[in-house]
Amino acid sequence: MITNLLVANRGEIALRIFRTCREWGVGTVAVHSDPDANALHVAAADAAVRLPGAAPADTYLRVDAVVSAALAAGADAVHPGYGFLSENAEFARAVLDAGLVWVGPSPESIALMGSKTESKRVVAAAGVPVLAELDPESLTEEDLPVLVKASAGGGGRGMRVVRDRAEAAEAVAAARAEAASAFGDSAVFCERFLERGRHIEVQVLADTHGTVWAVGERECSIQRRHQKVVEEAPSGVDEGLRQRLFEAAREVCRVTDYVGAGTVEFLVTDDGEFFFLEMNTRLQVEHPVTECVTGLDLVAWQLRIAEGQALQGEPPRPRGHAIEARLYAEDPRSDWRPGSGTLHRFAVRDVRAEFTVPDRYGIRLDSGVADGTEVSVHYDPMLAKVIAWGPDRTSAARMLAGTLASARVHGPVTNRDLLVAVLRHPDFLAGDTHTDFLTRHADRVLDAGPGEAGARLSVLAAALADAEHNRTHARVLGSLPGGWRNVPSAPQVKTYRHDGTDRSVRYSATRTGPVLEEHPEVTVVAVTPERVLLSCDGVRRTFHVTRHPGLVVVDSPLGSVSLAPVPRFTDPAAELAEGSLVAPMPGTVVRLAVSVGDEVRAGQPLLWLEAMKMEHRVTAPADGVVTELAVAEGAQVEQGAVMAVVTAGEATDVGAVETTEESA
């Protein structure tokens, strides 16, 4: 009987597991790195143990440190969550060797399924369909397109699509280098790449008495860089295909002697073929959608199975439909570049339940952040999982889109607008969910947001609210209208930077209120420092204005707009030299491709920066010569630090940064 559980993880998954532990009367132990000392999961636990350091390799990935923490805190069991050490067979063995209960499958099952090549060999021998493995060194034109994959890893790292034989050698070399960096194993293989496959996965539970449940399937085809962003249950497959997938998943469990919760992932074609991809020997990020439609607490079942309890009867049939959206601190329009910094405000409306199934149809929120949380460069940039459970798929999609659109998320740029655009896209609503969805609809979903009209009105609202804020906080003559004069004078000007562009608002203060001479179609109805009511061509809308250090956020029915106030006078010392390439975030330089004096072409890779579990390729902004290289391999850089300078024959911009791969 488990009495005190250590969760070897952080953030929302630690909080999710703690929720079940509280209901079960099980004590909880958290571990934390130095940046996470004040994190929500630490405050929520009965006890917490520090893992000295900041980087995952020094903290959450230290097998010895985590096991020692469990023993020191008096834990009798360890739950790995997902990510970090959750699929590490050595960690599972170390937990068991320490006399603790391991809440997960056996180390042998983890090791077997951790190798993509070996796991595919075993399940193929059992009759489960797999894609044929191809030798990266002997690809032919007939083999293309292919997907290069790291044998030892997952989460999109060490993965490349090759459509031209001329690209194969470079793609394989890059995949090997990233796999070695991420997993300590450079082995890669190739398999046929299906352009329009569907990613369908089966949730399984297997007890120690030989019973295996297929607890339903999930549709996980909305992906960017081979990583899921929208998941739902059940999928839209027909009943015959569903049962074949269930039987294949159960067979995978049988031939691997699997115990506990896991997910068997398949690639499904439009004509009903399916192929085994891999098995995740842990709880999945998207497990809440299965919990909502089945009513099961999958964490509770993990604990029951770890205690030796048996599965009874049959798994419940699904009720309604659930869709989960992963809210990330990342910028889809800047090649999915992750963000970091202070999350000033995080508010999601109409949440019916957190970390558990709602008592009726509604919104569930699983999140490890709150107002003031620091989004760290050291960890995955996911802020929250927002889940809608409704009577049918359309109602769930509508509910989730509305909730995300109205959420107030102030701080780093997020993928919120993209998620809303996906959920409201006619092809998504029609069930056309293939793995190439975001590629096919990039023009519509990547540039989603308030648009030019929304941005223009939001900037007006920000300027008017700021002027009112300044007037009400004035120490002298605060009762006079801001900027008011006895005789007409030049209009007042406020400037904000939005999406890299400066936007200025000119207005005149009069006895009857502000006048926007450049916007005759707009009437100012009411203004307070936090709320502006504007009428544009006869349509009234309310704009909520919130100020944070160096940031003004305007939320309205048109969308959320983040603005950076531009000072009237700039510091000349802050100007960068032409051709400077700066770090977009704190990170580690993992590879260099050039030296000082090298001639480069525009777009040529210069170096790779690793941050927030992503690898970013920094490229030359123009043809020229590398005249300065301010970093070395292994160097830690701060956001905004100059890493290199490329001198061209003409003025160049700050260098481009491209995100290449990422891990969940």
Side-chain angles (χ1 to χ4, degrees):
M1 183 175 179
I2 296 171
T3 61
N4 199 23
L5 180 75
L6 179 139
V7 177
N9 221 289
R10 64 182 297 276
E12 56 87 19
I13 185 56
L15 289 165
R16 163 68 189 92
I17 297 166
F18 291 165
R19 170 65 186 252
T20 292
C21 288
R22 286 196 302 272
E23 293 180 351
W24 267 47
V26 173
T28 54
V29 181
V31 289
H32 67 88
S33 64
D34 290 338
D36 277 344
N38 298 314
L40 296 182
H41 78 278
V42 177
D46 297 325
V49 181
R50 176 189 175 221
L51 303 175
D58 300 325
T59 55
Y60 298 106
L61 292 174
R62 282 271 308 276
V63 171
D64 59 337
V66 176
V67 173
S68 296
L71 296 173
D76 52 20
V78 172
H79 192 304
Y82 53 70
F84 294 131
L85 294 169
S86 62
E87 295 180 280
N88 186 305
E90 292 183 10
F91 180 50
R93 288 192 186 97
V95 170
L96 294 169
D97 289 346
L100 304 171
V101 174
W102 169 249
V103 183
S106 69
E108 292 74 23
S109 292
I110 295 174
L112 173 60
M113 304 314 287
S115 169
K116 288 186 173 65
T117 52
E118 182 64 12
S119 63
K120 290 174 72 172
R121 183 190 66 78
V122 170
V123 302
V128 178
V130 301
L131 288 168
E133 183 178 331
L134 304 173
D135 181 4
E137 308 301 332
S138 56
L139 294 175
T140 67
E141 289 293 342
E142 289 72 26
D143 294 327
L144 302 177
V146 299
L147 187 62
V148 185
K149 302 175 75 172
S151 177
R157 305 206 70 178
M159 195 174 289
R160 302 288 190 279
V161 176
V162 177
R163 292 185 170 85
D164 188 328
R165 279 192 65 196
E167 303 169 353
E170 180 182 350
V172 169
R176 282 178 172 153
E178 188 175 5
S181 172
F183 313 117
D185 185 344
S186 63
V188 300
F189 67 98
C190 295
E191 62 186 22
R192 179 162 59 101
F193 178 62
L194 302 181
E195 297 277 4
R196 279 182 56 79
R198 295 176 63 188
H199 189 126
I200 307 293
E201 60 188 29
V202 178
Q203 174 71 58
V204 294
L205 286 172
D207 64 21
T208 56
H209 307 277
T211 301
V212 180
W213 276 2
V215 189
E217 88 287 357
R218 296 184 286 257
E219 166 77 69
C220 305
S221 299
I222 307 298
Q223 303 180 0
R224 51 94 171 97
R225 302 192 180 281
H226 313 292
Q227 267 301 299
K228 308 159 192 171
V229 290
V230 176
E231 305 101 343
E232 53 186 306
S235 74
V237 300
D238 62 60
E239 188 60 28
L241 177 55
R242 176 177 292 112
Q243 293 305 320
R244 287 192 291 139
L245 290 169
F246 285 2
E247 180 52 38
R250 287 190 290 261
E251 184 62 25
V252 170
C253 291
R254 284 191 285 265
V255 299
T256 59
D257 294 323
Y258 196 83
V259 171
T263 302
V264 186
E265 304 199 351
F266 299 95
L267 194 61
V268 179
T269 66
D270 285 340
D271 58 6
E273 281 191 288
F274 66 87
F275 304 95
F276 170 82
L277 288 176
E278 63 181 352
M279 184 176 190
N280 293 126
T281 54
R282 53 172 170 81
L283 199 65
Q284 288 282 85
V285 177
E286 57 272 19
H287 76 274
V289 294
T290 297
E291 292 188 325
C292 285
V293 298
T294 63
L296 295 175
D297 182 332
L298 292 178
V299 174
W301 272 109
Q302 287 184 296
L303 299 180
R304 288 190 181 101
I305 291 170
E307 292 182 339
Q309 296 185 39
L311 295 163
Q312 301 290 339
E314 296 293 327
R317 302 276 303 172
R319 302 168 299 149
H321 200 96
I323 305 177
E324 171 182 294
R326 300 190 193 185
L327 184 65
Y328 281 104
E330 66 181 12
D331 188 353
R333 290 182 293 179
S334 296
D335 206 24
W336 310 99
R337 184 187 305 171
S340 60
T342 303
L343 184 64
H344 299 289
R345 177 163 298 179
F346 182 74
V348 180
R349 74 173 191 186
D350 301 330
V351 173
R352 194 172 295 282
E354 294 188 56
F355 304 109
T356 192
V357 179
D359 57 358
R360 59 186 185 278
Y361 294 136
I363 294 295
R364 166 176 170 172
L365 178 66
D366 286 22
S367 175
V369 299
D371 290 1
T373 293
E374 286 294 321
V375 180
S376 172
V377 70
H378 298 292
Y379 312 115
D380 186 273
M382 188 172 72
L383 303 177
K385 301 180 307 194
V386 186
I387 306 101
W389 176 38
D392 53 62
R393 186 172 184 270
T394 300
S395 61
R398 179 183 293 119
M399 186 192 314
L400 184 54
T403 296
L404 287 167
S406 65
R408 294 194 179 184
V409 187
H410 301 173
V413 176
T414 73
N415 66 336
R416 183 256 302 274
D417 290 339
L418 173 133
L419 295 173
V420 173
V422 168
L423 293 164
R424 290 175 172 168
H425 196 286
D427 282 5
F428 177 85
L429 294 172
D432 183 9
T433 52
H434 293 75
T435 52
D436 65 345
F437 184 93
L438 293 184
T439 301
R440 284 189 292 122
H441 301 296
D443 57 337
R444 180 161 176 174
V445 298
L446 290 182
D447 290 327
E452 175 57 28
R456 180 174 57 84
L457 290 173
S458 295
V459 172
L460 289 176
L464 295 171
D466 279 350
E468 185 67 10
H469 177 268
N470 293 339
R471 186 190 69 78
T472 57
H473 288 79
R475 296 182 179 181
V476 180
L477 301 178
S479 60
L480 291 180
W484 183 81
R485 300 290 186 273
N486 284 326
V487 294
S489 62
Q492 302 295 302
V493 180
K494 290 188 179 296
T495 304
Y496 303 88
R497 181 157 297 160
H498 175 248
D499 282 349
T501 301
D502 286 356
R503 294 173 175 264
S504 295
V505 175
R506 291 174 173 80
Y507 64 93
S508 299
T510 70
R511 293 179 182 273
T512 57
V515 174
L516 304 169
E517 296 178 358
E518 296 178 349
H519 302 279
E521 78 283 8
V522 177
T523 301
V524 181
V525 180
V527 177
T528 72
E530 290 79 31
R531 181 176 175 272
V532 177
L533 182 59
L534 298 178
S535 175
C536 181
D537 292 327
V539 179
R540 286 191 179 189
R541 292 186 179 89
T542 300
F543 297 79
H544 298 276
V545 181
T546 310
R547 294 165 199 80
H548 307 288
L551 177 69
V552 176
V553 182
V554 183
D555 294 298
S556 77
L558 298 175
S560 183
V561 176
S562 295
L563 307 169
V566 176
R568 294 177 62 189
F569 304 103
T570 59
D571 182 1
E575 297 296 326
L576 291 172
E578 292 179 351
S580 295
L581 291 95
V582 301
M585 67 203 74
T588 302
V589 178
V590 291
R591 281 180 283 160
L592 290 174
V594 296
S595 301
V596 173
D598 286 355
E599 293 186 0
V600 295
R601 306 288 294 178
Q604 178 180 333
L606 305 182
L607 58 91
W608 284 262
L609 184 70
E610 187 172 53
M612 301 182 83
K613 299 177 73 176
M614 288 187 179
E615 190 174 275
H616 312 270
R617 183 170 61 180
V618 180
T619 62
D623 296 350
V625 176
V626 179
T627 55
E628 183 179 341
L629 198 58
V631 295
E633 287 189 4
Q636 299 285 326
V637 296
E638 294 299 322
Q639 182 173 358
V642 175
M643 298 182 291
V645 177
V646 174
T647 300
E650 57 186 28
T652 61
D653 268 356
V654 174
V657 180
E658 177 185 345
T659 304
T660 56
E661 297 294 340
E662 78 171 270
S663 172

